[in-house]
Amino acid sequence: QKEVEQNSGPLSVPEGAIASLNCTYSDRGSQSFFWYRQYSGKSPELIMFIYSNGDKEDGRFTAQLNKASQYVSLLIRDSQPSDSATYLCAVEGSNDYKLSFGAGTTVTVRA
Amino acid sequence: GAGVSQTPSNKVTEKGKYVELRCDPISGHTALYWYRQSLGQGPEFLIYFQGTGAADDSGLPNDRFFAVRPEGSVSTLKIQRTERGDSAVYLCASSDHNEQFFGPGTRLTVL
């Protein structure tokens, strides 16, 4: 079982719709969770982090965390073509600071 | 302010050669990380520095890989006797608390 798993893509959504990305993790002691956006040929860019159960909103992005279910998600509201990218879920280890990444979900927003 | 910088941006070498990849973290960040990303995968942890010392090198694949950070700022990842399987994008990240910020990466191609 992989440490961090993301729903397989690609995910295609029409402009203005909500894109929903899911991620599960295996380390029950993990406390810190991150979403990175990666455009093709570029490096990962941090867009959200969440440490507590519940929802965290930042502009059009909402991260949701459920530690009991070992589940974290990212919602992108009012999707724009510029949101087209690969989204990486990253989980910090319970006993260290290194990040374990999922393979990423590629999102395409259709104009 | 200036972000994480990495040089070179691209490196092409021949099998068996030695390469050095450089990372200049965000000023004041004490933690520095090296990751490796293969096509279609998320970044994979290699090594983590806190200050000058390697706090965790458990991700280095074998003893051909070595990294240093002699003055607690710039870090160099060194790969001896390169193999074709070493071809990947090598990413450096730095942090001062929890959030890690990535540099643009070095694309290494071993022919």
Side-chain angles (χ1 to χ4, degrees):
Chain A
Q1 181 188 4
K2 292 184 180 179
E3 293 184 31
V4 180
E5 299 211 41
Q6 296 185 240
N7 51 326
S8 59
L11 179 64
S12 180
V13 298
E15 186 173 358
I18 296 175
S20 177
L21 307 172
N22 302 317
C23 173
T24 58
Y25 59 94
S26 61
D27 186 345
R28 185 169 289 279
S30 293
Q31 299 294 322
S32 303
F33 308 87
F34 306 87
W35 284 98
Y36 286 83
R37 177 176 63 198
Q38 187 170 29
Y39 292 115
S40 180
K42 301 296 185 182
S43 63
E45 173 193 8
L46 180 65
I47 55 171
M48 288 286 286
F49 56 87
I50 185 167
Y51 306 140
S52 303
N53 278 329
D55 295 359
K56 179 182 179 183
E57 186 174 316
D58 183 1
R60 294 185 296 109
F61 298 99
T62 299
Q64 300 173 317
L65 175 61
N66 184 326
K67 291 182 183 178
S69 300
Q70 295 174 242
Y71 173 91
V72 58
S73 66
L74 180 71
L75 299 177
I76 308 173
R77 292 184 303 281
D78 188 23
S79 295
Q80 301 297 309
S82 60
D83 295 327
S84 298
T86 295
Y87 290 81
L88 297 163
C89 173
V91 178
E92 189 175 277
S94 54
N95 296 314
D96 51 48
Y97 296 101
K98 61 190 180 189
L99 296 179
S100 294
F101 284 84
T105 300
T106 298
V107 174
T108 301
V109 181
R110 310 187 304 271
Chain B
V4 178
S5 62
Q6 293 187 244
T7 55
S9 55
N10 280 284
K11 177 70 177 178
V12 180
T13 191
E14 294 180 342
K15 179 176 178 297
K17 299 290 188 181
Y18 168 82
V19 297
E20 289 190 354
L21 312 178
R22 175 188 167 109
C23 172
D24 202 336
I26 293 171
S27 178
H29 281 192
T30 58
L32 184 148
Y33 308 78
W34 283 99
Y35 293 84
R36 176 169 72 172
Q37 187 174 25
S38 300
L39 194 63
Q41 301 297 316
E44 175 190 23
F45 170 79
L46 296 177
I47 186 169
Y48 154 54
F49 289 89
Q50 183 61 251
T52 60
D56 185 344
D57 65 358
S58 62
L60 295 177
N62 51 59
D63 62 5
R64 296 187 296 106
F65 289 74
F66 188 72
V68 295
R69 194 186 185 198
E71 298 179 356
S73 179
V74 170
S75 175
T76 304
L77 178 65
K78 307 179 180 192
I79 310 174
Q80 299 177 321
R81 304 183 304 279
T82 51
E83 299 177 357
R84 292 192 179 90
D86 299 334
S87 297
V89 175
Y90 288 80
L91 295 163
C92 176
S94 71
S95 73
D96 59 350
H97 292 102
N98 270 17
E99 299 86 45
Q100 296 183 25
F101 299 93
F102 283 84
T106 294
R107 181 176 298 278
L108 175 66
T109 303
V110 182
L111 301 177

